[in-house]
Amino acid sequence: MQPSRETSGATERDEAAAKSPLAALLAANPVVPVVVVDSAEDGVNVGKALVAGGITTAEVTFRTAAGADAIRAMQEVEGLTVGAGTVINTAQVEAAVAAGAKYIVSPGFSADVVRATLDAGIISLPACSDASWIMAALELGIDTVKFFPASINGGVPAIKALSAAFPGLGFVPTGGVNADNLAEYLSVDVIRACGGSWMVKKDLVVAGDWEQITRLSAQAIQIAKECGR
Ligand SMILES: O=C(O)C(=O)C[C@H](O)[C@H](O)COP(=O)(O)O
């Protein structure tokens, strides 16, 4: 009997996870929330709200001045693996590592940022939006790339087309992913996880609506489970 698509996907993901710390991180965290906060305190509250909803990681961006402080403070949230997002230069890599970030995500590909991250012994997730950038990432040993902005760059059909040229490569689509299309993305085997801000929208953080963040997180995790994640 042929294995079902879901079963073969799980096996392929399991094999990748056994070989790569990044793939293992994503196997444990199929939904990666992109967190933007203006204070460390907000970061801690968001982190607790995510964990209460079953999300166990947070990509805290360097888009605000509070990024590094929030990453440092969020280490205290039990059950949360904190990474840094929107890391666009090596000074930010240093700041993220010093703050305790366990992984580093960029909106694009910079060889300097990837090298500095790997040299620090941290997991690197650069974004690549086309085949040329993917080839540059492969040269540095990257096995999974963020695909950003996913919806504008062609979504699932684009990822399937790129995947045909790069067998074994994992993708983390981010940008335009939400509760309505999460299942479409997570039903594709090479998509190791999805990133996005939909469960931690700025207005929810500003309003201190931690309960809604928990509800949206739980909804995302439920969708992921239904996709066999
Ligand atoms: O800041 C970065 O490093 C990014 O790469 C951008 C974020 O991942 C996206 O802006 C999230 O996209 P939305 O879920 O559509 O809000």
Side-chain angles (χ1 to χ4, degrees):
M1 198 178 88
Q2 289 290 316
S4 73
R5 193 166 167 279
E6 212 167 75
T7 311
S8 67
T11 305
E12 197 224 289
R13 288 195 304 275
D14 291 346
E15 281 168 10
K19 280 189 246 155
S20 144
L22 171 56
L25 172 81
L26 299 171
N29 296 283
V31 178
V32 180
V34 177
V35 174
V36 182
V37 286
D38 287 321
S39 71
E41 194 191 346
D42 279 354
V44 170
N45 284 321
V46 168
K48 287 179 180 167
L50 291 168
V51 171
I55 288 183
T56 47
T57 194
E59 175 193 330
V60 181
T61 76
F62 270 66
R63 289 194 213 177
T64 63
D69 284 347
I71 290 169
R72 192 170 287 107
M74 288 167 75
Q75 306 296 324
E76 74 173 52
V77 181
E78 213 180 311
L80 190 70
T81 302
V82 186
T86 328
V87 173
I88 59 174
N89 57 50
T90 55
Q92 289 176 335
V93 173
E94 278 174 34
V97 171
K102 302 294 184 297
Y103 60 91
I104 286 183
V105 188
S106 298
F109 179 81
S110 153
D112 284 349
V113 167
V114 171
R115 278 199 203 97
T117 303
L118 297 177
D119 285 352
I122 303 293
I123 292 171
S124 172
L125 180 60
C128 298
S129 57
D130 70 22
S132 299
W133 291 116
I134 289 173
M135 287 168 65
L138 290 175
E139 281 172 15
L140 295 187
I142 294 293
D143 57 60
T144 304
V145 296
K146 172 166 164 167
F147 184 62
F148 173 76
S151 57
I152 290 166
N153 282 314
V156 166
I159 291 171
K160 284 185 175 167
L162 287 165
S163 175
F166 301 106
L169 183 69
F171 293 82
V172 182
T174 307
V177 181
N178 54 51
D180 293 334
N181 59 20
L182 180 62
E184 187 194 338
Y185 281 105
L186 287 183
S187 62
V188 178
D189 295 339
V190 296
I191 295 180
R192 306 283 188 233
C194 284
S197 66
W198 76 93
M199 73 299 281
V200 276
K201 283 278 177 231
K202 191 174 168 123
D203 56 341
L204 296 177
V205 178
V206 169
D209 194 348
W210 319 125
E211 284 176 11
Q212 179 65 355
I213 291 174
T214 295
R215 270 193 294 274
L216 292 171
S217 300
Q219 179 195 39
I221 290 300
Q222 180 59 32
I223 294 169
K225 281 199 178 127
E226 284 163 13
C227 294
R229 309 291 181 123

